[in-house]
Coordinates of all heavy atoms in Angstrom, one line a residue:
E36 N 22.1 -317.6 2.6 CA 22.3 -317.3 4.0 C 23.6 -316.4 4.1 O 24.6 -316.7 3.5 CB 22.5 -318.6 4.8 CG 22.6 -318.3 6.3 CD 22.7 -319.6 7.1 OE1 22.3 -320.7 6.6 OE2 23.2 -319.6 8.2
R37 N 23.6 -315.4 5.0 CA 24.7 -314.5 5.2 C 25.7 -315.3 6.2 O 25.2 -315.5 7.3 CB 24.3 -313.1 5.7 CG 23.7 -312.3 4.6 CD 23.0 -311.1 5.1 NE 23.3 -310.6 6.4 CZ 23.9 -309.4 6.6 NH1 24.3 -308.6 5.5 NH2 24.1 -309.0 7.8
I38 N 26.9 -315.6 5.8 CA 27.8 -316.3 6.7 C 29.2 -315.7 6.7 O 29.5 -315.0 5.8 CB 27.9 -317.8 6.2 CG1 28.5 -317.9 4.8 CG2 26.5 -318.5 6.2 CD1 29.0 -319.2 4.4
E39 N 29.9 -316.1 7.7 CA 31.3 -315.6 7.9 C 32.2 -316.5 7.0 O 31.9 -317.7 6.7 CB 31.7 -315.6 9.3 CG 30.9 -314.6 10.1 CD 31.5 -314.2 11.4 OE1 32.8 -314.0 11.5 OE2 30.7 -313.9 12.4
A40 N 33.4 -316.0 6.8 CA 34.4 -316.7 6.0 C 34.8 -318.0 6.7 O 34.9 -318.0 7.9 CB 35.6 -315.9 5.7
F41 N 35.1 -319.1 5.9 CA 35.6 -320.3 6.4 C 36.7 -320.8 5.4 O 36.6 -320.5 4.3 CB 34.4 -321.3 6.6 CG 33.7 -321.6 5.3 CD1 34.1 -322.7 4.4 CD2 32.6 -320.8 4.9 CE1 33.4 -322.9 3.3 CE2 31.9 -321.0 3.8 CZ 32.3 -322.1 2.9
P42 N 37.6 -321.6 5.9 CA 38.8 -322.0 5.0 C 38.3 -322.6 3.7 O 37.3 -323.4 3.7 CB 39.5 -323.0 5.9 CG 39.2 -322.6 7.3 CD 37.8 -322.1 7.3
D43 N 38.9 -322.1 2.6 CA 38.6 -322.6 1.3 C 37.2 -322.3 0.8 O 36.7 -322.9 -0.1 CB 38.9 -324.1 1.1 CG 40.3 -324.4 1.4 OD1 41.2 -323.6 1.0 OD2 40.6 -325.4 2.1
G44 N 36.5 -321.3 1.5 CA 35.1 -321.0 1.2 C 35.0 -320.2 -0.1 O 35.8 -319.4 -0.5
K45 N 33.8 -320.4 -0.7 CA 33.4 -319.5 -1.8 C 32.0 -319.2 -1.6 O 31.2 -320.0 -1.1 CB 33.6 -320.3 -3.2 CG 35.0 -320.5 -3.5 CD 35.1 -320.9 -5.0 CE 36.5 -321.1 -5.5 NZ 37.6 -321.2 -4.6
A46 N 31.6 -318.0 -1.9 CA 30.2 -317.5 -1.7 C 30.0 -316.4 -2.7 O 30.7 -316.2 -3.6 CB 30.0 -317.1 -0.3
S47 N 28.9 -315.6 -2.5 CA 28.6 -314.5 -3.4 C 28.5 -313.2 -2.5 O 28.1 -313.2 -1.4 CB 27.2 -314.7 -4.0 OG 27.2 -315.9 -4.8
C48 N 28.8 -312.1 -3.2 CA 28.7 -310.8 -2.6 C 27.2 -310.5 -2.4 O 26.4 -310.5 -3.4 CB 29.4 -309.7 -3.4 SG 29.2 -308.1 -2.8
P49 N 26.8 -310.1 -1.2 CA 25.3 -309.7 -1.1 C 25.0 -308.4 -1.7 O 23.8 -308.1 -1.9 CB 25.2 -309.6 0.5 CG 26.5 -309.6 1.0 CD 27.5 -310.1 0.0
T50 N 26.0 -307.6 -2.1 CA 25.7 -306.3 -2.7 C 25.7 -306.4 -4.3 O 24.7 -305.9 -4.9 CB 26.8 -305.3 -2.3 OG1 26.8 -305.2 -0.9 CG2 26.6 -303.9 -3.0
C51 N 26.7 -307.1 -4.9 CA 26.7 -307.1 -6.3 C 26.6 -308.5 -6.9 O 26.5 -308.6 -8.2 CB 28.0 -306.5 -6.8 SG 29.5 -307.5 -6.5
G52 N 26.6 -309.5 -6.1 CA 26.4 -310.9 -6.6 C 27.7 -311.6 -7.1 O 27.7 -312.7 -7.5
A53 N 28.8 -310.9 -7.1 CA 30.1 -311.4 -7.6 C 30.6 -312.5 -6.7 O 30.2 -312.6 -5.5 CB 31.2 -310.3 -7.6
T54 N 31.5 -313.4 -7.3 CA 32.1 -314.4 -6.5 C 33.0 -313.9 -5.4 O 33.8 -313.0 -5.7 CB 32.9 -315.4 -7.4 OG1 32.0 -315.9 -8.4 CG2 33.5 -316.5 -6.7
M55 N 32.9 -314.4 -4.2 CA 33.7 -314.1 -3.1 C 34.5 -315.3 -2.7 O 34.1 -316.4 -2.8 CB 32.9 -313.7 -1.9 CG 31.9 -312.5 -2.2 SD 32.7 -311.0 -2.5 CE 33.1 -310.5 -0.9
I56 N 35.8 -315.0 -2.3 CA 36.6 -316.2 -1.8 C 37.0 -315.8 -0.4 O 37.2 -314.7 0.0 CB 37.9 -316.3 -2.7 CG1 38.7 -315.0 -2.8 CG2 37.5 -316.9 -4.0 CD1 40.0 -315.2 -3.5
A57 N 37.1 -316.9 0.5 CA 37.4 -316.7 1.9 C 38.9 -316.5 2.0 O 39.7 -317.1 1.4 CB 37.0 -317.9 2.6
K58 N 39.3 -315.5 2.9 CA 40.6 -315.3 3.3 C 40.7 -315.7 4.8 O 40.2 -314.9 5.6 CB 41.0 -313.8 3.1 CG 40.8 -313.3 1.6 CD 41.9 -313.9 0.8 CE 41.8 -313.3 -0.6 NZ 43.0 -313.5 -1.4
C59 N 41.4 -316.8 5.1 CA 41.4 -317.3 6.4 C 42.8 -317.6 6.9 O 43.1 -318.7 7.4 CB 40.5 -318.5 6.6 SG 38.7 -318.1 6.2
G60 N 43.7 -316.7 6.7 CA 45.1 -317.0 7.1 C 45.3 -316.8 8.6 O 44.5 -316.3 9.3
P61 N 46.5 -317.2 9.0 CA 46.8 -317.2 10.5 C 47.0 -315.8 11.1 O 46.9 -315.6 12.3 CB 48.0 -318.1 10.6 CG 48.7 -318.0 9.3 CD 47.6 -317.8 8.3
R62 N 47.3 -314.8 10.2 CA 47.7 -313.5 10.7 C 46.7 -312.4 10.3 O 47.0 -311.2 10.5 CB 49.1 -313.1 10.2 CG 50.2 -313.9 10.9 CD 51.5 -313.5 10.4 NE 51.8 -313.8 9.0 CZ 52.3 -314.9 8.5 NH1 52.7 -315.8 9.4 NH2 52.6 -315.1 7.3
I63 N 45.6 -312.8 9.7 CA 44.6 -311.8 9.3 C 43.2 -312.1 9.8 O 43.0 -313.3 10.2 CB 44.5 -311.7 7.7 CG1 44.1 -313.0 7.1 CG2 45.9 -311.1 7.1 CD1 43.8 -313.0 5.6
I64 N 42.4 -311.2 10.0 CA 41.0 -311.4 10.3 C 40.4 -312.2 9.2 O 40.5 -311.8 8.0 CB 40.3 -310.1 10.5 CG1 40.9 -309.3 11.7 CG2 38.8 -310.3 10.8 CD1 40.3 -307.9 11.8
H65 N 39.7 -313.3 9.5 CA 39.0 -314.0 8.5 C 38.0 -313.1 7.9 O 37.2 -312.5 8.5 CB 38.3 -315.3 9.1 CG 39.3 -316.3 9.5 ND1 38.9 -317.5 9.9 CD2 40.6 -316.3 9.8 CE1 40.0 -318.2 10.3 NE2 41.0 -317.4 10.2
H66 N 37.9 -313.1 6.5 CA 37.0 -312.2 5.8 C 36.8 -312.7 4.4 O 37.5 -313.7 3.9 CB 37.6 -310.8 5.8 CG 38.8 -310.6 5.0 ND1 40.1 -311.0 5.4 CD2 39.1 -310.2 3.7 CE1 41.0 -310.8 4.5 NE2 40.4 -310.3 3.4
W67 N 35.9 -312.1 3.7 CA 35.6 -312.5 2.3 C 36.2 -311.4 1.4 O 36.2 -310.2 1.8 CB 34.1 -312.5 2.0 CG 33.4 -313.6 2.7 CD1 32.6 -313.6 3.9 CD2 33.4 -315.0 2.3 NE1 32.1 -314.8 4.2 CE2 32.5 -315.7 3.2 CE3 33.9 -315.7 1.3 CZ2 32.3 -317.0 3.2 CZ3 33.6 -317.0 1.2 CH2 32.9 -317.7 2.1
A68 N 36.7 -311.7 0.3 CA 37.2 -310.8 -0.7 C 36.6 -311.1 -2.1 O 36.4 -312.3 -2.4 CB 38.7 -310.9 -0.8
H69 N 36.3 -310.0 -2.8 CA 35.9 -310.2 -4.2 C 37.0 -311.0 -5.0 O 38.2 -310.7 -4.8 CB 35.6 -308.9 -4.9 CG 34.3 -308.3 -4.5 ND1 34.2 -307.6 -3.3 CD2 33.1 -308.3 -5.1 CE1 32.9 -307.2 -3.2 NE2 32.3 -307.6 -4.3
K70 N 36.6 -312.0 -5.8 CA 37.6 -312.6 -6.6 C 38.1 -311.6 -7.6 O 37.4 -310.9 -8.2 CB 36.9 -313.8 -7.4 CG 37.9 -314.7 -8.1 CD 37.1 -315.8 -8.8 CE 38.2 -316.7 -9.4 NZ 37.5 -317.9 -10.0
G71 N 39.4 -311.5 -7.7 CA 40.1 -310.4 -8.4 C 40.4 -309.3 -7.5 O 40.4 -309.3 -6.3
Q72 N 40.7 -308.2 -8.1 CA 41.2 -307.0 -7.4 C 40.2 -305.9 -7.2 O 40.5 -304.7 -7.3 CB 42.5 -306.5 -8.1 CG 43.6 -307.5 -8.0 CD 44.1 -307.7 -6.6 OE1 44.2 -306.9 -5.8 NE2 44.4 -309.0 -6.4
R73 N 38.9 -306.1 -7.1 CA 38.0 -305.1 -7.0 C 37.0 -305.3 -5.9 O 36.9 -306.4 -5.4 CB 37.1 -305.1 -8.3 CG 36.3 -306.3 -8.5 CD 35.5 -306.3 -9.8 NE 34.1 -305.8 -9.8 CZ 33.1 -306.3 -9.0 NH1 33.3 -307.3 -8.2 NH2 31.9 -305.8 -9.1
D74 N 36.3 -304.3 -5.5 CA 35.2 -304.4 -4.5 C 34.1 -303.5 -5.0 O 34.4 -302.4 -5.6 CB 35.8 -303.9 -3.1 CG 34.7 -304.2 -2.1 OD1 33.6 -303.5 -2.0 OD2 35.0 -305.0 -1.2
C75 N 32.9 -303.9 -4.8 CA 31.8 -303.1 -5.4 C 31.5 -301.9 -4.6 O 30.6 -301.1 -5.1 CB 30.6 -304.0 -5.5 SG 30.0 -304.7 -3.9
D76 N 32.1 -301.6 -3.5 CA 31.9 -300.4 -2.7 C 33.1 -299.6 -2.7 O 34.1 -300.0 -2.1 CB 31.4 -300.7 -1.3 CG 31.0 -299.5 -0.5 OD1 31.3 -298.4 -0.9 OD2 30.4 -299.7 0.6
P77 N 33.2 -298.4 -3.3 CA 34.4 -297.6 -3.3 C 34.8 -297.2 -1.9 O 36.0 -296.7 -1.7 CB 34.1 -296.5 -4.2 CG 32.6 -296.4 -4.3 CD 32.1 -297.8 -4.1
W78 N 33.9 -297.2 -0.9 CA 34.3 -296.8 0.4 C 35.0 -298.0 1.2 O 35.3 -297.8 2.4 CB 33.1 -296.3 1.2 CG 32.6 -295.0 0.7 CD1 33.4 -294.0 -0.1 CD2 31.3 -294.4 0.9 NE1 32.6 -293.0 -0.4 CE2 31.3 -293.1 0.2 CE3 30.2 -294.7 1.6 CZ2 30.2 -292.3 0.2 CZ3 29.1 -293.9 1.6 CH2 29.1 -292.7 1.0
W79 N 35.1 -299.1 0.6 CA 35.6 -300.3 1.3 C 37.0 -300.0 1.8 O 37.8 -299.3 1.2 CB 35.7 -301.4 0.3 CG 36.5 -302.6 0.8 CD1 35.9 -303.6 1.6 CD2 37.9 -302.9 0.7 NE1 36.9 -304.5 1.9 CE2 38.1 -304.1 1.4 CE3 38.9 -302.2 0.1 CZ2 39.4 -304.6 1.5 CZ3 40.2 -302.8 0.1 CH2 40.4 -304.0 0.9
E80 N 37.3 -300.5 3.0 CA 38.7 -300.4 3.6 C 38.9 -301.8 4.3 O 38.1 -302.5 4.7 CB 38.7 -299.3 4.7 CG 38.4 -297.9 4.1 CD 38.3 -296.9 5.2 OE1 38.4 -297.3 6.4 OE2 38.3 -295.7 4.9
N81 N 40.2 -302.1 4.5 CA 40.6 -303.3 5.3 C 40.0 -303.1 6.7 O 39.9 -302.0 7.2 CB 42.1 -303.4 5.4 CG 42.7 -303.9 4.1 OD1 42.1 -304.7 3.4 ND2 43.9 -303.5 3.8
E82 N 39.7 -304.2 7.3 CA 39.0 -304.2 8.6 C 40.0 -304.6 9.7 O 40.7 -305.6 9.5 CB 37.8 -305.1 8.6 CG 36.9 -304.9 9.8 CD 35.6 -305.7 9.5 OE1 35.5 -306.9 9.7 OE2 34.6 -305.1 9.1
T83 N 40.1 -303.8 10.8 CA 41.0 -304.2 11.9 C 40.2 -305.0 12.9 O 38.9 -305.0 12.9 CB 41.5 -302.9 12.6 OG1 40.4 -302.2 13.1 CG2 42.3 -302.0 11.6

Side-chain angles (χ1 to χ4, degrees):
E36 185 178 339
R37 291 167 18 110
I38 62 166
E39 294 199 36
F41 57 92
D43 300 318
K45 288 197 178 14
S47 298
C48 176
T50 301
C51 71
T54 300
M55 304 293 283
I56 55 172
K58 302 286 187 166
C59 297
R62 291 183 289 271
I63 60 171
I64 297 172
H65 291 192
H66 66 282
W67 293 102
H69 282 79
K70 188 175 182 180
Q72 296 296 319
R73 64 179 270 298
D74 190 289
C75 59
D76 186 346
W78 291 342
W79 171 86
E80 297 173 354
N81 285 329
E82 194 168 80
T83 64

